[in-house]
Amino acid sequence: MQDTSSIKVWDISVRIFHWALVVFFALAYITGEIETETLHAWAGYVIIGLLAYRLLWGLIGTKYARFSDFIYSPAEIMAYLKSLLTTHPKHYLGHNPAGGVMVVLLIIGLTAVSWTGLKAYEAEGKGPLAAVPAITLSIPVAQADDGWNEYNRNSHGGYGGEGDEFWEEAHEAAVYFMLLLIALHLGGVAVSSLLHRENLARAMVTGRKRLPKE
């Protein structure tokens, strides 16, 4: 018998994206502090791919996956936050205004983590950014290579220079920012689940959410 008290909200690709992101971010975080640089890097590349997918799906995806469904005006966001104090906030099928803000912040955080990670890798002479060839024109290959290495050392501070340390520290700061957002996200999910009497974590598994009462 079909469940008429709930409705399908999250499509299968959004759910796969969500849990894949959880797995690969955890993997990247764990392997960032141990001698598994290759695994850490590839986990990061997967995260970049997932992020690119989410940005695209936020534009052309299903109704509740689109940014247009959960990006609200500042006034709507403030009204929703104030309604939390009444313990009877408005129920949304998709992301509520606070949840929409969190999605945007998480995307920004992931972008910062990904970019600083790529730059830190480039400073070590590794990764896709370091693989971009120098413009040689008529310069001999050996001279071009020397110029590229000198450019990395002087401009980027690569190969153990100041730039290397800068991007490593920036990457670490971005990761801590993401951990803060994740903590806030989990807290928001817990509060929203309690106030609306629904299991939002389970909804991201089944794709179904409870219909609001009339």
Side-chain angles (χ1 to χ4, degrees):
M1 181 180 297
Q2 185 175 2
D3 181 9
T4 58
S5 65
S6 64
I7 186 174
K8 179 62 69 69
V9 173
W10 309 121
D11 65 79
I12 184 64
S13 65
V14 167
R15 286 176 278 154
I16 291 175
F17 158 80
H18 180 276
W19 296 113
L21 186 59
V22 170
V23 170
F24 283 99
F25 185 85
L27 179 62
Y29 180 75
I30 292 170
T31 57
E33 300 298 329
I34 57 181
E35 296 300 323
T36 51
E37 186 177 272
T38 300
L39 183 57
H40 177 75
W42 279 105
Y45 297 148
V46 172
I47 289 173
I48 292 173
L50 290 171
L51 179 60
Y53 154 77
R54 190 62 185 93
L55 291 173
L56 178 62
W57 201 239
L59 298 174
I60 65 172
T62 52
K63 173 178 169 56
Y64 298 107
R66 294 183 183 182
F67 297 127
S68 59
D69 183 72
F70 58 81
I71 294 182
Y72 298 87
S73 69
E76 290 175 299
I77 295 170
M78 289 304 301
Y80 179 78
L81 292 176
K82 290 179 180 178
S83 74
L84 293 177
L85 300 177
T86 69
T87 70
H88 290 89
K90 179 181 177 181
H91 184 270
Y92 291 80
L93 281 177
H95 291 295
N96 59 52
V101 171
M102 181 54 65
V103 171
V104 173
L105 288 176
L106 286 169
I107 289 176
I108 292 173
L110 282 172
T111 301
V113 170
S114 301
W115 178 249
T116 55
L118 287 173
K119 293 297 290 183
Y121 221 36
E122 179 196 19
E124 297 177 8
K126 303 175 183 178
L129 296 184
V132 177
I135 300 176
T136 59
L137 297 178
S138 59
I139 303 174
V141 174
Q143 184 178 349
D145 288 342
D146 290 341
W148 176 246
N149 291 335
E150 187 68 20
Y151 171 76
N152 269 294
R153 286 192 294 270
N154 295 336
S155 301
H156 291 190
Y159 311 111
E162 294 180 1
D164 190 355
E165 294 179 3
F166 170 80
W167 287 113
E168 286 182 0
E169 292 176 0
H171 185 56
E172 185 176 355
V175 170
Y176 282 127
F177 176 61
M178 272 298 299
L179 293 177
L180 173 62
L181 291 179
I182 290 170
L184 293 174
H185 173 58
L186 293 176
V189 168
V191 169
S192 187
S193 295
L194 180 63
L195 293 179
H196 295 297
R197 294 180 174 82
E198 62 180 352
N199 190 327
L200 294 182
R202 182 174 63 188
M204 192 52 72
V205 174
T206 65
R208 303 189 70 86
K209 291 186 67 177
R210 180 178 60 82
L211 286 167
K213 296 181 179 180
E214 296 295 338

